[in-house]
PDB file of all heavy atoms in Angstrom:
ATOM      1  N   PHE A  20      15.844  92.866 -51.742  1.00  0.00           N
ATOM      2  CA  PHE A  20      16.207  93.842 -50.724  1.00  0.00           C
ATOM      3  C   PHE A  20      17.057  94.962 -51.277  1.00  0.00           C
ATOM      4  O   PHE A  20      17.055  96.057 -50.739  1.00  0.00           O
ATOM      5  CB  PHE A  20      16.892  93.136 -49.556  1.00  0.00           C
ATOM      6  CG  PHE A  20      15.877  92.493 -48.648  1.00  0.00           C
ATOM      7  CD1 PHE A  20      15.569  91.155 -48.801  1.00  0.00           C
ATOM      8  CD2 PHE A  20      15.200  93.228 -47.708  1.00  0.00           C
ATOM      9  CE1 PHE A  20      14.618  90.562 -48.003  1.00  0.00           C
ATOM     10  CE2 PHE A  20      14.250  92.625 -46.900  1.00  0.00           C
ATOM     11  CZ  PHE A  20      13.948  91.291 -47.047  1.00  0.00           C
ATOM     12  N   SER A 224      41.199  50.397 -44.928  1.00  0.00           N
ATOM     13  CA  SER A 224      40.619  49.543 -43.891  1.00  0.00           C
ATOM     14  C   SER A 224      39.278  48.950 -44.298  1.00  0.00           C
ATOM     15  O   SER A 224      38.706  48.135 -43.569  1.00  0.00           O
ATOM     16  CB  SER A 224      40.443  50.343 -42.591  1.00  0.00           C
ATOM     17  OG  SER A 224      39.534  51.412 -42.781  1.00  0.00           O
ATOM     18  N   GLU A 464      56.220  70.797 -71.334  1.00  0.00           N
ATOM     19  CA  GLU A 464      56.773  69.869 -70.351  1.00  0.00           C
ATOM     20  C   GLU A 464      57.727  68.909 -71.064  1.00  0.00           C
ATOM     21  O   GLU A 464      57.363  68.274 -72.050  1.00  0.00           O
ATOM     22  CB  GLU A 464      55.668  69.079 -69.647  1.00  0.00           C
ATOM     23  CG  GLU A 464      54.652  69.949 -68.919  1.00  0.00           C
ATOM     24  CD  GLU A 464      53.730  69.136 -68.032  1.00  0.00           C
ATOM     25  OE1 GLU A 464      54.196  68.137 -67.443  1.00  0.00           O
ATOM     26  OE2 GLU A 464      52.546  69.490 -67.918  1.00  0.00           O
TER      27      GLU A 464
END
Side-chain angles (χ1 to χ4, degrees):
F20 280 96
S224 63
E464 301 190 36

